[in-house]
Amino acid sequence: MAQLDTLVLGHRVREARRRAGLTLAELGEKVARPAPYLSLLENGKVEPKIGLIGDLADALDVLSADLLDPAPPNRRAELEIDLERLQREPHYQAMRLPQIKPSAKVPDEVLEHLVTLAKALPRDAGDPAGDSDRRLRAADRARLANVSLRNEMRARDNYFAEIEQVASRSLEAVGYPGSGPVSERVLTDLAAHFGFTVERVQGMPRTARSITDQRSRVIYIPQRNDLRTRAARSVVLQTLGHFALSHNRTGNFEDYLRQRIESNYFAAAVLAPEGPAVEELRDAKDRGDLSIEDLKEVFYISYEMAAHRFTNLATRHLDLPVHFLRTDPEGVVEKAYENDGIAYPMDSDGGLEGERVSRHWGTRQAWQSSDSFSLHYQYTQTDRGEFWCVTYLETEASQHAITVGTTGAHAKFFRGSNTLRRVNARTIDNHPDPELIARWQGVAWPSASERSYVMSALPASQRAFTPFPGVDLVDVYRFLDRQARPRGGRST
């Protein structure tokens, strides 16, 4: 199963289902799986367990070997698979083109043209095709793994139906009442449900958020004064998620990242269960008062987890396109997701992590607010249209900004949509004043802060030599202009 090609399998299942004259819902009844999960399977987004493949084969009156055949079932399927794979490649992603999902109305000859053109796109001439993975450094492999997973999350609207089901069944098994925060008792019973006990101990290694003794079935987490209750609940559930989702040890970085994403999703789906969370969100949408802050308080979770949970549910249940950002105070991207069309800065591989967003975006403007405890609401005009967002600043454990947003047309459903704050962040607005550059270029000599990037950690788009790596020189020039203004009267 390790070498299973999920795209080919999905097409073979779809072809067999159509031959059998079954809808997704009808097939789902036969194999005890919901239609949304089977849709993801047919689109190559999930890898089923071997038992389910046997059930599918029986339901479709074919052999398991037929479904596991590595060859596409027909030329049309081969073209669709090729197009999907080509659109995932970094050189294609770097062009920032919208994803093409070929419907049945797209003629075969059009697909032939698209696939042929995509294959003809130039790759890095210094790195022969098929040999690049071997030559990439660990940081580059991580970046490409993030790109691949982010594309998958966008295709699924960041909603994992199969994990929602595991979380729901787990809560039902331990008697969760169906509303409100998950109590300490429910959490303890949930650990016991999976055969574990939880112990708080001193002397935990700083590099580990938890340590599980699989022989003794004990999950160790730091003492209460080192890890508060809200954070401890997340850590325990993220750990349990690996076992609830039947994760195995892996040496593959993309699989490692996928497991982290899935275990974090499981934790959020337990702490803010789908049923009551969707009920809360739908009621708030009807009132035009959606708020991440309310989701945080109702389920006693962190703002960041509430923001993630909102992106899980917003598109599937509320028909809202959204974007999410976590950045440092300088606007450097740490995590990102979008399905609303906003254009994030990307490196040549299509990676976002380590890139710096525009100084005009809400995630950076919030740091200039006189009240860092208030939520920052803002409309931003970009090259791709107008977007609305809300930004929360985390200033205690580590300084970062959490931003959730949507298109300007959908802002009306959110608390804070009546803000008068509107900022232009189009390409033309981001160009620095050439007179400013002329005044200070060659004069300024900044010393980078300790948290700025060193050369080994710079994202690909910033690795060209600069005398001050990691420093935003335009910010430096504007600072110098402000200092010089009383004497020279200059302004930008």
Side-chain angles (χ1 to χ4, degrees):
M1 289 292 289
Q3 301 301 316
L4 179 64
D5 189 325
T6 56
L7 283 174
V8 174
L9 171 67
H11 277 271
R12 287 197 159 275
V13 170
R14 180 183 291 126
E15 184 194 44
R17 175 177 62 80
R18 289 173 175 171
R19 280 203 315 266
L22 296 174
T23 65
L24 283 170
E26 290 168 342
L27 178 58
E29 290 179 2
K30 291 177 177 290
V31 299
R33 291 293 190 281
Y37 173 81
L38 293 180
S39 176
L40 291 171
L41 189 153
E42 289 191 356
N43 285 289
K45 304 301 183 185
V46 295
E47 180 176 330
K49 298 188 185 307
I50 192 67
L52 176 57
I53 293 177
D55 292 342
L56 288 167
D58 291 342
L60 297 170
D61 196 24
V62 298
L63 298 175
S64 295
D66 294 331
L67 298 181
L68 293 172
D69 189 327
N74 50 55
R75 177 57 179 164
R76 170 75 185 202
E78 182 180 6
L79 289 171
E80 291 185 6
I81 290 169
D82 282 349
L83 184 62
E84 174 72 18
R85 287 175 176 157
L86 287 163
Q87 290 183 99
R88 293 178 181 179
E89 292 191 9
H91 69 283
Y92 190 100
Q93 289 287 324
M95 294 188 295
R96 306 187 187 184
L97 295 172
Q99 192 82 0
I100 296 176
K101 296 181 180 180
S103 68
K105 295 180 180 180
V106 178
D108 289 2
E109 56 268 25
V110 172
L111 279 181
E112 292 276 8
H113 278 275
L114 290 172
V115 169
T116 302
L117 290 171
K119 287 181 177 179
L121 288 173
R123 292 171 170 81
D124 184 356
D127 194 5
D131 194 40
S132 58
D133 286 343
R134 181 176 59 81
R135 301 185 181 198
L136 289 174
R137 298 175 321 196
D140 295 319
R141 289 198 300 271
R143 186 159 43 251
L144 293 184
N146 271 312
V147 171
S148 175
L149 287 170
R150 190 171 58 254
N151 290 338
E152 178 183 335
M153 291 163 70
R154 185 191 300 115
R156 299 173 65 146
D157 290 327
N158 206 19
Y159 179 80
F160 292 64
E162 65 279 16
I163 301 180
E164 297 284 357
Q165 289 184 354
V166 174
S168 178
R169 290 197 298 265
S170 300
L171 285 170
E172 184 179 352
V174 297
Y176 170 68
S179 63
V182 172
S183 66
E184 287 288 327
R185 182 195 65 78
V186 170
L187 184 62
T188 301
D189 290 348
L190 198 58
H193 174 70
F194 290 104
F196 291 93
T197 58
V198 180
E199 292 187 19
R200 286 184 176 268
V201 294
Q202 294 181 333
M204 285 277 295
R206 290 183 177 273
T207 54
R209 59 182 180 179
S210 71
I211 297 177
T212 303
D213 181 343
Q214 296 186 75
R215 183 184 297 115
S216 301
R217 309 295 287 181
V218 178
I219 298 173
Y220 295 104
I221 62 173
Q223 289 279 22
R224 196 172 299 275
N225 58 334
D226 296 322
L227 188 66
R228 296 179 180 176
T229 301
R230 194 179 319 216
R233 294 158 74 232
S234 299
V235 168
V236 170
L237 287 169
Q238 287 161 357
T239 303
L240 283 176
H242 291 298
F243 302 100
L245 301 173
S246 302
H247 288 164
N248 298 312
R249 294 178 184 271
T250 177
N252 179 283
F253 198 87
E254 183 168 350
D255 288 344
Y256 167 78
L257 286 181
R258 180 185 299 278
Q259 289 183 3
R260 283 294 294 262
I261 288 171
E262 290 180 350
S263 65
N264 290 347
Y265 192 111
F266 173 81
V270 168
L271 290 173
E274 184 174 19
V278 169
E279 183 179 353
E280 172 78 20
L281 291 172
R282 280 178 175 160
D283 180 61
K285 183 188 178 188
D286 290 342
R287 292 182 281 109
D289 195 35
L290 282 170
S291 169
I292 307 301
E293 188 74 18
D294 286 354
L295 202 62
K296 166 192 170 186
E297 296 303 324
V298 167
F299 295 102
Y300 191 61
I301 54 181
S302 69
Y303 191 93
E304 183 169 357
M305 178 173 282
H308 276 297
R309 193 63 180 136
F310 178 78
T311 66
N312 298 152
L313 304 173
T315 304
R316 176 57 61 96
H317 292 289
L318 307 179
D319 295 321
L320 293 176
V322 293
H323 65 268
F324 167 91
L325 265 176
R326 171 176 160 143
T327 65
D328 72 5
E330 283 76 43
V332 175
V333 177
E334 297 172 355
K335 297 178 184 178
Y337 167 77
E338 53 77 26
N339 70 352
D340 59 358
I342 196 168
Y344 289 140
M346 292 184 182
D347 62 23
S348 58
D349 295 327
L352 306 181
E353 291 75 17
E355 298 299 310
R356 182 182 278 117
V357 300
S358 164
R359 71 185 72 251
H360 302 296
W361 283 22
T363 196
R364 291 183 67 177
Q365 292 285 311
W367 293 101
Q368 301 176 22
S369 171
S370 58
D371 184 1
S372 61
F373 294 102
S374 297
L375 295 173
H376 178 90
Y377 301 105
Q378 176 176 315
Y379 286 92
T380 309
Q381 187 67 41
T382 76
D383 292 338
R384 291 198 179 179
E386 185 178 57
F387 295 86
W388 172 92
C389 71
V390 54
T391 298
Y392 168 87
L393 300 182
E394 173 60 65
T395 58
E396 293 184 5
S398 62
Q399 290 197 330
H400 57 264
I402 303 295
T403 295
V404 173
T406 186
T407 65
H410 291 90
K412 61 186 178 182
F413 299 111
F414 290 81
R415 184 180 304 165
S417 61
N418 60 345
T419 180
L420 299 178
R421 187 178 290 111
R422 280 176 159 78
V423 180
N424 287 324
R426 298 165 300 176
T427 300
I428 191 172
D429 302 311
N430 287 324
H431 289 159
D433 180 358
E435 293 185 5
L436 174 74
I437 304 297
R439 277 197 295 275
W440 296 109
Q441 194 168 34
V443 177
W445 187 293
S447 177
S449 62
E450 291 186 7
R451 1 177 236 190
S452 293
Y453 291 98
V454 294
M455 286 303 289
S456 61
L458 282 173
S461 63
Q462 297 180 22
R463 284 182 189 152
F465 178 75
T466 167
F468 310 106
V471 174
D472 188 330
L473 284 175
V474 174
D475 270 351
V476 170
Y477 297 161
R478 286 176 172 159
F479 167 80
L480 289 173
D481 241 30
R482 291 195 298 272
Q483 306 312 305
R485 196 173 301 155
R487 294 189 296 274
R490 294 181 178 126
S491 62
T492 59

